[in-house]
Amino acid sequence: MLEGKALIADTDMPLKLQIQAMKAASEALDLYDVYDSKSIAAHIKKKFDDGHGMGWQCVVGSNFGSFFTHSQGTFIYFTLETLNFLIFKGPSPSVSSRVDIV
């Protein structure tokens, strides 16, 4: 497990889910090379799909922008080591929020 601490830039997730997101990211960084962003993202997405239902999205990298709509209470954007992590669940028809990350 990595010793570094995550720095949360923005989130609307409950604390328990935030901790799970950072733990999944740390586990992925232990399993995959830091340059293998695709495998890291896939690992995190699978963890969240398996544990919290289908529809999760994960973006990992050192430089990216985004604009998306998500289900309320399912969004986190944080940095761990040298990578940025964006995790969210796609919107449900009834409740969603928009976020712009640059």
Side-chain angles (χ1 to χ4, degrees):
M1 191 72 65
L2 287 171
E3 297 302 320
K5 296 209 182 218
L7 176 62
I8 297 173
D10 199 3
T11 188
D12 73 351
M13 276 183 178
L15 182 58
K16 183 178 176 182
L17 206 53
Q18 291 177 38
I19 292 167
Q20 291 175 11
M22 292 179 284
K23 182 179 177 189
S26 182
E27 289 171 357
L29 286 170
D30 284 344
L31 292 171
Y32 302 100
D33 188 277
V34 71
Y35 298 108
D36 190 1
S37 296
K38 185 176 177 180
S39 293
I40 293 168
H43 176 87
I44 295 167
K45 177 183 172 26
K46 182 174 179 357
K47 283 265 190 191
F48 270 73
D49 281 347
D50 290 348
H52 304 286
M54 300 299 287
W56 287 89
Q57 308 300 316
C58 183
V59 180
V60 177
S62 58
N63 187 16
F64 60 86
S66 65
F67 188 84
F68 58 92
T69 303
H70 68 93
S71 294
Q72 191 171 6
T74 67
F75 156 74
I76 189 166
Y77 178 66
F78 63 95
T79 301
L80 180 60
E81 297 299 311
T82 60
L83 294 174
N84 300 312
F85 295 80
L86 171 61
I87 305 167
F88 63 95
K89 190 168 190 174
S92 64
S94 58
V95 182
S96 63
S97 301
R98 285 192 174 166
V99 178
D100 183 12
I101 304 255
V102 179

